[in-house]
Amino acid sequence: MAENIYNIFTTVMLVILALVIFGYFVRTILGPHFSDRLLAVNSISTVVMLFIGFIAVMQGENYIVDIALIYAVLGFVSVIILCKQYLRSHHKEKANDLKNIKDKANEIKGEVK
């Protein structure tokens, strides 16, 4: 009896998480601003980690949690890359940070001489 209730609960939670992922996916496509899309992608990553965690609990396997942790790192890196690309495309004068630092250093050297 308790096992049956547990299986129903976890199945309902997985369906709810799938609906939440779908809602964030719609927000990613329709979001009026880049920040809305970025937050939706980050939220999808977080909810997918929860989804993988529920599957790990249902299956009783520990290695699935490792997959969730790897997915967390990939989600974090993807958000960082998206932010960097956004800054490069919208702020071209600040896109190459190393070049700006070298130019500033050369300006300072020129003022000292």
Side-chain angles (χ1 to χ4, degrees):
M1 179 69 180
E3 176 99 12
N4 193 17
I5 293 173
Y6 175 76
N7 287 336
I8 291 171
F9 174 74
T10 53
T11 304
V12 168
M13 289 307 297
L14 287 175
V15 169
I16 289 172
L17 287 176
L19 291 174
V20 169
I21 290 171
F22 180 74
Y24 281 132
F25 185 69
V26 169
R27 187 61 171 171
T28 302
I29 294 171
L30 300 177
H33 303 294
F34 175 77
S35 58
D36 295 332
R37 291 184 173 104
L38 186 65
L39 287 173
V41 167
N42 195 15
S43 298
I44 288 172
S45 175
T46 303
V47 175
V48 166
M49 286 186 310
L50 286 171
F51 197 87
I52 293 171
F54 266 107
I55 291 174
V57 170
M58 285 177 67
Q59 298 295 323
E61 299 289 339
N62 292 335
Y63 72 91
I64 299 176
V65 176
D66 295 336
I67 295 170
L69 292 174
I70 291 169
Y71 191 80
V73 171
L74 289 175
F76 174 74
V77 170
S78 68
V79 168
I80 297 298
I81 290 171
L82 284 172
C83 286
K84 186 67 174 174
Q85 286 302 109
Y86 174 76
L87 289 175
R88 282 188 179 166
S89 66
H90 287 79
H91 303 287
K92 293 188 187 297
E93 70 278 355
K94 297 179 184 177
N96 193 350
D97 297 333
L98 185 59
K99 183 181 179 299
N100 290 335
I101 291 171
K102 286 180 182 178
D103 291 344
K104 195 63 145 169
N106 289 335
E107 287 177 18
I108 292 172
K109 285 181 185 177
E111 292 174 3
V112 173
K113 292 181 182 179

